[in-house]
Amino acid sequence: MVADDEAMTFEQSVQAAIELDAPLNERLEVVARAVRRLNADFADAVDRLVARLQEQGAGMMSPAPGDVMPAFLLPDDSGKLTGLADLLEQGPAVITFQRGHWCPYCRLNAIGIVEVQEEIAALDGQVVVIMPERRRFAKAMKAAVGAQFPFLIDIDNGYALSLNLAIWVGAEMERLMGVGYDLPSYQGNASWFLPIPATFIVGTDGRITDRFVDPDYRRRMDIDYLIAALKRAR
């Protein structure tokens, strides 16, 4: 584990998490500890948001293992339309929803997948990241993490809403996040809706074999589990 160095800036803590040789959720915990150390009020507000979402069962009505994954046709970071059917013609798919380029947890999640993208390719696996951001921000995140897979743009969270994955962050988080993040500019709207980070593993028959949905955006599907799930989906 990385020592929670009191002298570290937030970006230094994120970089330490990126460099840490550990499972994804341990790396994410480094970031969560840094947030609490540097801004306890913000961390407490996140806890309240997560508690509210959990109480409401947010995300639990999204498609489950055994269900057919609803189709999509979304533009990627280069403007090309990508559909679920096209992906499944090539192999099982990893469909992962991320909040945005600005989110350090999403950056770490994407980096974790990038680190095994050759292993995924060897399994004929297809990966797409779905984000509710304008194309230039999706393109920037893809370049920053070194991904070879597409980042799809889900403007206004249309597809996420259809899967019961989109949530309003709430007035408190809107105020706190607005200090550092310009979501209306990133997304092209002022709704302050975000997708619950989620990952679906979809077999070539279009059915979901595994999923990870958690309203606590500080936790994600671990990469070892993702690879094992992809092998099961073949």
Side-chain angles (χ1 to χ4, degrees), residues 87-111:
L87 297 172
L88 297 180
E89 285 181 358
Q90 303 172 69
V94 178
I95 314 295
T96 183
F97 288 80
Q98 305 293 344
R99 304 192 316 152
H101 77 286
W102 50 271
C103 173
Y105 301 93
C106 297
R107 196 189 326 167
L108 270 167
N109 195 171
I111 287 171

Side-chain angles (χ1 to χ4, degrees), residues 44-83:
D44 289 343
V46 171
D47 289 342
R48 287 190 289 273
L49 168 65
V50 170
R52 171 172 65 84
L53 294 175
Q54 290 174 336
E55 182 178 350
Q56 295 171 348
M60 292 303 99
M61 295 301 292
S62 64
D67 293 343
V68 172
M69 187 72 180
F72 60 77
L73 185 65
L74 297 169
D76 69 10
D77 47 276
S78 67
K80 175 185 174 184
L81 288 174
T82 298

Side-chain angles (χ1 to χ4, degrees), residues 96-173:
T96 183
F97 288 80
Q98 305 293 344
R99 304 192 316 152
H101 77 286
W102 50 271
C103 173
Y105 301 93
C106 297
R107 196 189 326 167
L108 270 167
N109 195 171
I111 287 171
I113 297 172
V114 165
E115 289 171 346
V116 295
Q117 62 187 351
E118 291 184 5
E119 187 174 351
I120 291 172
L123 296 169
D124 296 324
Q126 310 299 308
V127 179
V128 290
V129 171
I130 298 179
M131 299 167 56
E133 294 199 312
R134 294 156 64 196
R135 194 166 91 186
R136 68 187 181 97
F137 298 110
K139 184 183 286 289
M141 183 170 175
K142 177 181 176 179
V145 301
Q148 297 173 6
F149 44 82
F151 281 53
L152 307 185
I153 293 96
D154 185 24
I155 289 297
D156 297 333
N157 282 288
Y159 186 55
L161 279 166
S162 76
L163 302 185
N164 295 305
L165 284 176
I167 56 98
W168 177 49
V169 300
E172 180 181 40
M173 289 303 301

